[in-house]
Amino acid sequence: MEYAIIAKYILSFHDNSPMVIENGTVLIDGTDIVGVGKDLNIDDAEVINFGNHILMPGLINTHTHAAMTLFRGYADDIPLDSWLNDHIWPMESKLSSEDVMNGAKVAAIEALLSGTTTINSMYWHPDAEARAFSEIGIRGMIGAPIISGINTVKTFEHIFSDWHGKNDDMTRVSINPHAPYTVTGDEYLQIHEYKNNFNQSSDIPINMHTHLAETKFEMEMIRKYNLENGSAISDDIKTSTEYLDSLDILDDKIIVAHAVECTDKDIKILAENKVGVSLNPISNLKLGNNISKVDQMYRAGVKLSLGTDGPASNNSMDMFETMKINSLLQKSVNNDPSRGKAFETLKMATYGASKVIGWNTGAIEVGKKADIILIDLNKPHLQPIFSHNSLISNLVYATKATDVSDVMVNGKWRVRNREIPEINLKNVYENLNKSVYRLIE
Amino acid sequence: MEYAIIAKYILSFHDNSPMVIENGTVLIDGTDIVGVGKDLNIDDAEVINFGNHILMPGLINTHTHAAMTLFRGYADDIPLDSWLNDHIWPMESKLSSEDVMNGAKVAAIEALLSGTTTINSMYWHPDAEARAFSEIGIRGMIGAPIISGINTVKTFEHIFSDWHGKNDDMTRVSINPHAPYTVTGDEYLQIHEYKNNFNQSSDIPINMHTHLAETKFEMEMIRKYNLENGSAISDDIKTSTEYLDSLDILDDKIIVAHAVECTDKDIKILAENKVGVSLNPISNLKLGNNISKVDQMYRAGVKLSLGTDGPASNNSMDMFETMKINSLLQKSVNNDPSRGKAFETLKMATYGASKVIGWNTGAIEVGKKADIILIDLNKPHLQPIFSHNSLISNLVYATKATDVSDVMVNGKWRVRNREIPEINLKNVYENLNKSVYRLIE
């Protein structure tokens, strides 16, 4: 089926700048964008004219643990050690595949309704997350964390054959060493080799997805962990980014989440190796960590994108909120309101993120997959709009996730006028709550 | 008319703790809350059962410049000097009373729809803001900034007689020396004297409302300003808070906005003098300033409340967003996730704010004015709720302003199911845009 979607503003990117077409049309054929402009032939298409809306690329959340909606609001406001050791990890040890399915469905619904069309989720029972995402209709990269002593690169091989590139390529699988303080250097090397071997024989490459440089204690933990587990680590390595670089595993098929504690040298390493970074500003604040040097990384040419992190450390999947906070923080930490420009952040959440995660989405242009959202501008908090700059300012600083009226993923409508047809939300919420009550018993 | 409002959770405060009544009822008679509990006599009342909602006090925004919706998204992301001197101030010099009315109406609508029932706004043409607020039906404190050479304490005397305590006491007027770098010490003393005289003969006291300690350059500016204008200032004064204290004008009828650059000594001064503080975390970030020591002030017993600041430096009036960011920032700056607890912030936005601003609102208890909001819990991002703690976590970390379904101010419904009856929103938005296009010409 072919759609011709008309909106007051079509927002995308051209080279390094925003591109706005007023009263433009986007043509969709199957899963693809096949036309963008003002005077297109729309004779054979179903025409949908949204009027006073922005049509733009769907947001891409490049780091989360989706099913952790299960633990939203659980044991907040307590020290990090106790939160993990006394609360989150004991609960996670009881998780069933069904619990993960119940949690991931709520996350996928929440994401879609807030304009996110792609999620990158690292979590247990990744097949349950894959099923949840495909049932709800969101594009998703899934994969369990690999942690020494718990599982290995081999544990999840069936997930690759069951899910990678399946579901019309809306589901992909990544290989996820949890973090350099829970996985030895030797294991990172095995995982890296597995990735390279896989990618030599696959049309659709896989990414490695790992946590990196989240806390200031991490390097100390890495050194201790490797020494205790008989993995060599040189004395002259000062940071976790230097450490991964020393393993020679950094390339353009690795997504590192957080990148908070980065030196100038680290930023250079990330840029030179074309590493994809997922910034998680809200989670970093909530867990009492520092603020990433986003402005500096942006200027150094690091491939940047944004993530919410898990709903237990945020506590939402709201990428609009994430965009606003990402820009605001850079102004304050640099004591300069001209840093963290709205457009830079908007690009991180869309076009930039598509370069990090690898799907052919993130822009409104011919040949891209049709992951599209519509923003309803008939809202008090989105008045006035008087220039393309003010449009982009409003998007990042004033738009609420709930201003998203309609969402299309891979050419298929998933949200129409803020409703998700075919999904019984009440059942989904009840199932989540049932899992939670069982887990906290 | 008497209402009996039933909701799954009634949320208020008891001493220093949250108080939650499950499946409780709140009785409203005229403008007042006359009953709160579980087994009330509701025979004569119109019963409204909201089911799966939270009923809680309306949020109180203790510092904004409401009509600056006019400049939302105007010249963002540029250095502060240029933003003020080349953009905002030249535009403000062209403002008509009608422009302010158009801007303030949008702000009031935006505030109501995001659960705010009281606004404290410092802006030009305060009578226009007063008219806008009363027409839309929000509780509001208004008053123009007093700036040396532009106006004096006498300029606005008619505003007091026209508006203070009027409109069923939903409108009050404050006296607003703009900031200690735009008003001399001598003028602060005159304004303080005016306030004291007024309050000796008025049942409803007035507040002084001023900016304080927003930027790190402020003390330097204050010294220069006073010396240039022939007002004495002692060499041993180190901060703007010490400076106002040296004038002996600090008391429990002054609201100071920002309080970012405060020393330990300043925090002690604010606490001892029972000064009301309006924290504006989002504006501080956006304008490239530092982060207030909220956690330290809270522990020192400073009277704390939250504000959005003007929509041009935020860019919204969203107090839910403000609450979340306020808590998050304290965790990061103190490197401790147990700081900035959700409940502390919730109290600042409601009960605490009522102590700052002076109306008898901010709690759900007998004898308070009926400023009440309802939060619809049937949302994916508000799942799960499994304890009263998780309820409060969800309120501060996960609730979106648009989850507010219904709003009552002073006993009167102003928002029903996210609609504002009797107001033609399209006209209001058009009028704002007309003003903006005229101003930017």
Side-chain angles (χ1 to χ4, degrees), chain B residues 65-80:
Chain B
H65 313 284
M68 288 184 82
T69 51
L70 289 160
F71 308 127
R72 184 183 348 243
Y74 178 65
D76 280 335
D77 295 343
I78 63 174
L80 189 56

Side-chain angles (χ1 to χ4, degrees), chain B residues 97-108:
Chain B
S97 174
E98 194 186 339
D99 295 330
V100 170
M101 175 88 158
N102 292 338
K105 274 193 190 171
V106 169

Side-chain angles (χ1 to χ4, degrees), chain B residues 415-430:
Chain B
V415 177
R416 291 309 314 270
N417 198 19
R418 292 207 62 66
E419 303 278 329
I420 301 187
E422 297 163 35
I423 306 286
N424 183 329
L425 294 183
K426 198 157 168 270
N427 277 0
V428 174
Y429 303 162
E430 274 173 12

Side-chain angles (χ1 to χ4, degrees), chain B residues 65-98:
Chain B
H65 313 284
M68 288 184 82
T69 51
L70 289 160
F71 308 127
R72 184 183 348 243
Y74 178 65
D76 280 335
D77 295 343
I78 63 174
L80 189 56
D81 265 11
S82 171
W83 182 68
L84 283 172
N85 291 304
D86 305 335
H87 296 90
I88 296 296
W89 288 341
M91 290 273 271
E92 286 192 332
S93 71
K94 297 195 264 176
L95 281 179
S96 72
S97 174
E98 194 186 339

Side-chain angles (χ1 to χ4, degrees), chain A residues 76-77 324 331 393 397, chain B residues 76-77 321 324 331 393 397:
Chain A
D76 279 335
D77 295 343
K324 180 167 184 172
K331 298 171 188 304
S393 255
Y397 301 129
Chain B
D76 280 335
D77 295 343
E321 192 176 78
K324 179 166 184 172
K331 298 172 189 302
S393 254
Y397 301 129

Side-chain angles (χ1 to χ4, degrees), chain A residues 249-273:
Chain A
I249 61 167
L250 295 180
D251 60 26
D252 67 347
K253 295 282 179 296
I254 179 168
I255 304 172
V256 301
H258 298 295
V260 172
E261 300 295 337
C262 286
T263 61
D264 292 356
K265 185 176 167 188
D266 292 341
I267 290 171
K268 211 168 155 216
I269 291 171
L270 295 171
E272 283 177 356
N273 290 283

Side-chain angles (χ1 to χ4, degrees), chain B residues 1-3 26-35 139 360 365-372 408 410-412:
Chain B
M1 179 183 281
E2 189 170 48
Y3 294 106
V26 176
L27 280 179
I28 313 288
D29 193 11
T31 62
D32 294 354
I33 297 173
V34 295
R139 196 181 290 279
N360 184 27
E365 61 186 50
V366 172
K368 294 284 177 195
K369 293 293 162 191
D371 287 12
I372 285 173
M408 174 180 273
N410 216 35
K412 187 164 175 192

